Amino acid sequence: GINAEYMGFAHKCSGCCFPIRGKYFELEGSLWHSECLYCAYCHRSLDNDSVFYDDEGQQFCSRECAEMVPDYHSQSEAAAQIENTMKSPQADTKHSLNKLISLAIKQSTEAVETNRRRSLFTRDEVEKMPMESFREQLEFAPIHQEKDGDEKLFDVIDYAPKVFQGMRLLYGISSTSYIESLCNQPLSGGTVGAGCSGMVFYFSKDRRYIVKSVTRTELVFMKQFLRGYFTHCVTHHDTLLPRFYGLYKIKLENQPSLRVIVMNNVFDTRLKIDQTYDLKGSTVDRLVSGDQLQKGCKVLKDLNLTSKVFVGDTVRGKLIEQIRVDTELLQSYNVMDYSALLGINLEGKMQDPPAGGWPPEREGLQISLFQTHHGGIPGLKRNSPTNVTYFMGLIDILQQWNYNKKMEHYAKSMLQMLGKFTEKRPDRALSVVQREFDPKAISAVESCQYQTRFMKFICGAVV
């Protein structure tokens, strides 16, 4: 009775979501177990520290560590500043930012292959490995690329190289094919994504990989999340979570750092993607208007999805179960604000081939149950095949329910409530409007509510 009462009413840690007992820290209104906080620079637990330093939402065990991790508020601004420096008359113009990223990935991958030990691979090895031993796998490997003798072009920090090498091997990707896709031809893109995060996206020439910039907050969380994520991918080979293949930080002298993560492209197919949806299960501000479409917006939202996703009973059951398992993992790490990225090919039309033609099919590549038809799921309605193919994956999985998201929820709640009061119900009491407005419909809600709402939406959309 006492223990159950305590478990039900005690404050919960924002990191592990378990009730707080004993020593804890309070950060911007959220509570943390001391052992759930790690130094953002040296990765050491803050469990034994009575004093630590907080810098822009990241914790450091000493002032020295805090000063050694300069950061930029926006990764798009960081990318633009590095790009402008490279285009200056004093710079070597043959090294554009996309070439720099490719070169950094190549140097890192070759270094791991040269010093190769057997990578983490099996579920048992990961689950039975002591946490301290696993943290050793998260050690970064600094690599220096030299140019013109002793003049250094850039520094690369390759995070958890052996773990990500294990991820590549898990899905049948050799170091040779990885380098060939990402490094032998220039990356395309370099534009800010359709969301409001300000992240920069690049694509490999064969469109098999996406290189996305990440914030420092996401980088720190990824290192905390990596063990559970890797174990999940080994256990659930058909996972719809992003397949992360590398995590790097690139630093030019006197320039902001650029952090990038390499992942699979959900739309790795020769079929043309006719419609693209970003689905969160929310109804507030989740409609792309006609004016936005005319201005070139190509990614639709929840309220734009007016037809069901017809995949048949057998595939539907497996798809729903896999999404449930995936989102339960995210919820256990207090992750929210993720999306289901849905692509639809309507008539079997093919994309125009890239310059030089389509690359050859890779041997040994491991595909999931949901990638069997041109990289997607064949449509099936009333047990009859359709001419529709669906592509689906979960994206943006590195955002936790934190102080900033709580403030976002509060601000959107007030805006929606006041909007209804002033525009739709000017003659009614504010208390009535508050009862009519459902704050749970806002995209930014805590992780448990988010997962429940997300699954309800997916179950209704997929038939």
Side-chain angles (χ1 to χ4, degrees):
I2 295 176
N3 189 47
E5 182 179 355
Y6 175 85
M7 295 291 287
F9 293 98
H11 291 292
K12 293 184 178 180
C13 172
S14 296
C16 67
C17 298
F18 283 98
I20 291 178
R21 307 180 184 185
K23 184 178 178 182
Y24 68 91
F25 291 120
E26 182 173 358
L27 299 173
E28 297 183 328
S30 61
L31 303 181
W32 293 74
H33 287 120
S34 57
E35 62 268 22
C36 290
L37 288 174
Y38 298 89
C39 175
Y41 182 76
C42 70
H43 321 309
R44 186 175 65 85
S45 172
L46 301 179
D47 190 23
N48 297 320
D49 288 286
S50 58
V51 177
F52 63 89
Y53 298 88
D54 187 278
D55 179 25
E56 297 182 6
Q58 299 302 313
Q59 293 73 49
F60 301 88
C61 61
S62 68
R63 177 66 69 185
E64 288 75 16
C65 282
E67 292 175 350
M68 292 177 73
V69 188
D71 191 30
Y72 225 67
H73 178 69
S74 168
Q75 285 289 279
S76 60
E77 293 177 10
Q81 183 167 335
I82 295 173
E83 189 77 71
N84 290 335
T85 300
M86 291 181 166
K87 291 179 180 178
S88 67
Q90 296 78 19
D92 185 346
T93 55
K94 69 180 181 180
H95 291 289
S96 62
L97 182 55
N98 60 350
K99 290 182 180 179
L100 180 67
I101 294 172
S102 293
L103 187 58
I105 293 173
K106 182 177 182 180
Q107 292 288 330
S108 301
T109 306
E110 289 178 343
V112 176
E113 193 68 24
T114 300
N115 301 315
R116 182 174 177 177
R117 304 176 193 170
R118 191 172 61 85
S119 300
L120 295 176
F121 189 70
T122 69
R123 173 186 178 184
D124 286 344
E125 285 178 320
V126 177
E127 289 185 339
K128 293 178 181 179
M129 182 176 292
M131 192 60 193
E132 288 303 320
S133 297
F134 186 83
R135 283 181 186 146
E136 292 178 4
Q137 307 301 324
L138 303 182
E139 293 295 328
F140 52 75
I143 301 168
H144 302 295
Q145 169 64 32
E146 304 295 336
K147 167 190 161 189
D148 295 335
D150 295 332
E151 185 182 356
K152 185 172 65 179
L153 176 60
F154 61 82
D155 290 338
V156 182
I157 293 179
D158 184 2
Y159 290 95
K162 289 181 284 184
V163 178
F164 287 112
Q165 185 190 49
M167 274 295 297
R168 298 194 294 269
L169 293 175
L170 182 63
Y171 289 101
I173 300 171
S174 67
S175 295
T176 301
S177 66
Y178 185 67
I179 292 173
E180 183 178 346
S181 292
L182 285 163
C183 310
N184 288 359
Q185 297 186 66
L187 301 174
S188 60
T191 58
V192 177
C196 56
S197 63
M199 296 297 100
V200 182
F201 289 80
Y202 292 89
F203 294 86
S204 63
K205 197 69 174 180
D206 57 14
R207 311 291 287 186
R208 288 170 174 163
Y209 302 101
I210 293 175
V211 182
K212 175 190 174 185
S213 63
V214 295
T215 65
R216 189 167 67 185
T217 301
E218 291 173 327
L219 173 65
V220 172
F221 171 68
M222 184 65 195
K223 289 184 285 185
Q224 298 171 359
F225 176 59
L226 190 53
R227 179 178 185 170
Y229 165 79
F230 183 82
T231 305
H232 184 85
C233 290
V234 173
T235 308
H236 303 280
H237 190 268
D238 295 323
T239 179
L240 291 162
L241 296 178
R243 298 177 184 175
F244 295 125
Y245 296 133
L247 180 61
Y248 312 94
K249 181 161 77 171
I250 302 170
K251 180 72 173 72
L252 280 73
E253 193 167 352
N254 300 320
Q255 296 296 325
S257 298
L258 181 68
R259 295 165 295 275
V260 296
I261 194 165
V262 180
M263 68 187 79
N264 67 307
N265 182 5
V266 176
F267 301 153
D268 180 11
T269 180
R270 297 184 182 185
L271 294 180
K272 180 182 178 183
I273 304 299
D274 296 302
Q275 297 177 3
T276 304
Y277 293 87
D278 180 277
L279 307 172
K280 294 180 180 289
S282 169
T283 57
V284 175
D285 194 26
R286 298 299 297 169
L287 176 70
V288 176
S289 66
D291 289 342
Q292 290 174 305
L293 291 174
Q294 289 181 355
K295 292 178 181 178
C297 180
K298 298 180 180 180
V299 181
L300 305 174
K301 297 182 181 180
D302 302 63
L303 297 179
N304 297 103
L305 185 65
T306 56
S307 62
K308 302 292 185 180
V309 177
F310 294 98
V311 295
D313 292 341
T314 302
V315 174
R316 179 188 184 275
K318 295 178 179 179
L319 180 64
I320 294 296
E321 175 61 17
Q322 187 58 62
I323 295 177
R324 182 190 66 77
V325 172
D326 291 342
T327 55
E328 284 180 353
L329 173 74
L330 299 179
Q331 192 266 318
S332 71
Y333 280 88
N334 206 24
V335 173
M336 43 72 69
D337 215 19
Y338 45 85
S339 304
L341 180 64
L342 174 66
I344 303 177
N345 172 270
L346 294 175
E347 298 178 353
K349 293 182 180 179
M350 306 294 287
Q351 298 184 53
D352 294 330
W358 293 107
E361 296 292 336
R362 290 172 291 181
E363 296 182 1
L365 182 66
Q366 302 296 311
I367 62 173
S368 78
L369 175 67
F370 312 114
Q371 297 175 303
T372 57
H373 184 72
H374 295 283
I377 308 170
L380 188 66
K381 186 176 182 180
R382 298 187 183 91
N383 297 321
S384 298
T386 67
N387 60 351
V388 177
T389 304
Y390 301 100
F391 303 84
M392 183 178 287
L394 300 179
I395 60 172
D396 298 335
I397 67 167
L398 301 180
Q399 176 62 59
Q400 290 183 293
W401 175 245
N402 55 21
Y403 177 79
N404 290 335
K405 284 297 176 181
K406 291 176 183 177
M407 291 299 100
E408 178 185 334
H409 175 84
Y410 175 77
K412 287 185 176 180
S413 296
M414 294 301 297
L415 287 173
Q416 290 294 323
M417 182 185 69
L418 293 174
K420 281 183 176 250
F421 179 66
T422 57
E423 296 176 12
K424 297 184 178 181
R425 297 286 190 272
D427 58 332
R428 301 181 68 178
L430 183 60
S431 60
V432 175
V433 178
Q434 286 176 320
R435 286 195 296 270
E436 289 180 350
F437 174 62
D438 181 10
K440 295 180 181 179
I442 295 174
S443 174
V445 294
E446 63 91 16
S447 58
C448 185
Q449 288 183 10
Y450 194 95
Q451 193 266 348
T452 301
R453 186 186 67 192
F454 184 82
M455 286 305 305
K456 182 178 179 180
F457 176 85
I458 292 296
C459 289
V462 179
V463 297

